[in-house]
Structures are given as C-alpha cells and as structure tokens.
C-alpha cells in the first residue's frame, strides 16, 4: 500500500509502505535468472530493473544479515536457484569472505545445483584513486547502470 507523508513546509508525497524486516527478501519477480545482492545497493538495482519487462529481468533478492546462516536461507530462494538457468551475485564486498563465497559454500553443502554462476564484487582501488561509493561501484562494474547486462 501507499501512505501519504506530510511534512511541514514540504510538498506531500506518497511513499510505499515498507514490509517488516526479513533477513532475506524477494524484491522483484523475474525470469529464469536469479540476482542476489546485499546492502543499500539494492535500491539502485531495483530502480534500474522495475520497468524492465518481467520476461527480460532477473528476479531480485536481497540478503540483509551476514554472515549467512544456512537455516535462514528461505526454501523459496533455494528452489528458485535450483530451477534457474543462472545465479548472479553482485556485492560491494571483496570476493574473499563476501556474500558470493558464503552462499557458494552453503549451496554446495545443501547440494543445490547451479547451472551457471556469475559473481561481481568490489575490486579494490583499481585505478589507484579514492572516491565516492558510486565511483567504486562503477570501477568494479557493479553500479546500477551495469545492470542491463543481466537483462536477457
């Protein structure tokens, strides 16, 4: 649902009502590809994907608690991964010890098959320059403008 928010001196705006917190959330329905991410970067991915036709966009999942707990991984996510043609993980962490590494381990222990796997992660300071969060997302190829690559 939508709730109107009125702030003194500011134009009224309608904002979606957030669902209660869950450690795992399916943010968007999609085709036979699963995109998993963590953290605030999901907002940019959601904005980039929301208007992509359902048959061309991946389903978008968010995990909000790290390290992963095997028991917390929802069966709906595991079933979707097992039936998907590709699992894609994009995150702002480095590869070692990040979401991709943790989930790969858990899926292997659980015996969940993965047909195709793609993992994009922070690559450190590739150019040698410091910068904003968005600058580093762009340098690592994980910005919301890169998301069109996963829409097939």
């Amino acid at each position: 649902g939508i709730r109107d928010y009125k702030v003194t001196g500011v134009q009224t705006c309608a904002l979606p009502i957030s669902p209660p917190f869950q450690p795992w959330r399916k943010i968007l329905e999609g085709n036979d590809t699963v995109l998993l991410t963590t953290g605030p970067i999901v907002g940019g991915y959601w904005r980039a994907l929301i208007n992509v036709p359902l048959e061309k966009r991946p389903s978008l999942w968010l995990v909000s608690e790290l390290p992963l707990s095997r028991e917390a991984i929802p069966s709906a996510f595991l079933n979707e991964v097992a039936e998907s043609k590709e699992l894609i993980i994009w995150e702002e962490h480095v590869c070692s010890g990040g979401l991709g590494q943790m989930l790969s381990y858990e899926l292997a222990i659980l015996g969940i098959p993965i047909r195709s796997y793609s993992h994009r992660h922070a690559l450190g300071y590739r150019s040698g320059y410091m910068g904003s969060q968005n600058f580093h997302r762009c340098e690592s190829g994980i910005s919301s403008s890169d998301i069109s690559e996963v829409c097939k």
Side-chain angles (χ1 to χ4, degrees):
I2 300 291
R3 180 181 293 150
D4 286 329
Y5 289 87
K6 295 182 181 179
V7 180
T8 305
V10 178
Q11 185 176 9
T12 300
C13 61
L15 298 173
I17 298 170
S18 296
F21 175 81
Q22 294 291 322
W24 287 76
R25 292 186 196 184
K26 187 171 189 177
I27 306 298
L28 282 175
E29 293 290 336
N31 62 19
D32 54 0
T33 298
V34 176
L35 173 61
L36 176 66
T37 193
T38 187
I41 198 168
V42 74
Y45 294 166
W46 178 84
R47 282 188 298 282
L49 292 170
I50 190 68
N51 293 315
V52 173
L54 181 67
E55 66 275 2
K56 290 191 175 189
R57 75 173 177 232
S59 63
L60 177 61
W61 282 80
L62 170 69
V63 62
S64 299
E65 291 183 349
L66 296 176
L68 293 183
S69 160
R70 186 171 307 139
E71 298 75 29
I73 303 173
S75 58
F77 175 80
L78 296 173
N79 292 335
E80 194 170 333
V81 167
E83 295 171 8
S84 70
K85 70 175 185 181
E86 184 174 17
L87 172 61
I88 301 168
I89 300 173
W90 282 21
E91 63 177 309
E92 294 183 272
H93 306 106
V94 294
C95 183
S96 181
L99 174 61
Q101 187 178 48
M102 284 186 266
L103 184 65
S104 297
Y105 173 79
E106 297 301 340
L107 293 176
I109 294 296
L110 293 169
I112 305 296
I114 302 172
R115 289 189 183 103
S116 178
Y117 176 84
S118 173
H119 182 208
R120 285 206 188 168
H121 49 83
L123 299 173
Y125 299 97
R126 297 178 64 187
S127 66
Y129 293 105
M130 304 289 269
S132 68
Q133 192 173 32
N134 192 53
F135 171 80
H136 289 291
R137 287 174 180 168
C138 290
E139 267 206 328
S140 295
I142 56 172
S143 72
S144 56
S145 62
D146 295 309
I147 208 74
S148 63
E149 296 174 29
V150 301
C151 297
K152 299 170 184 156

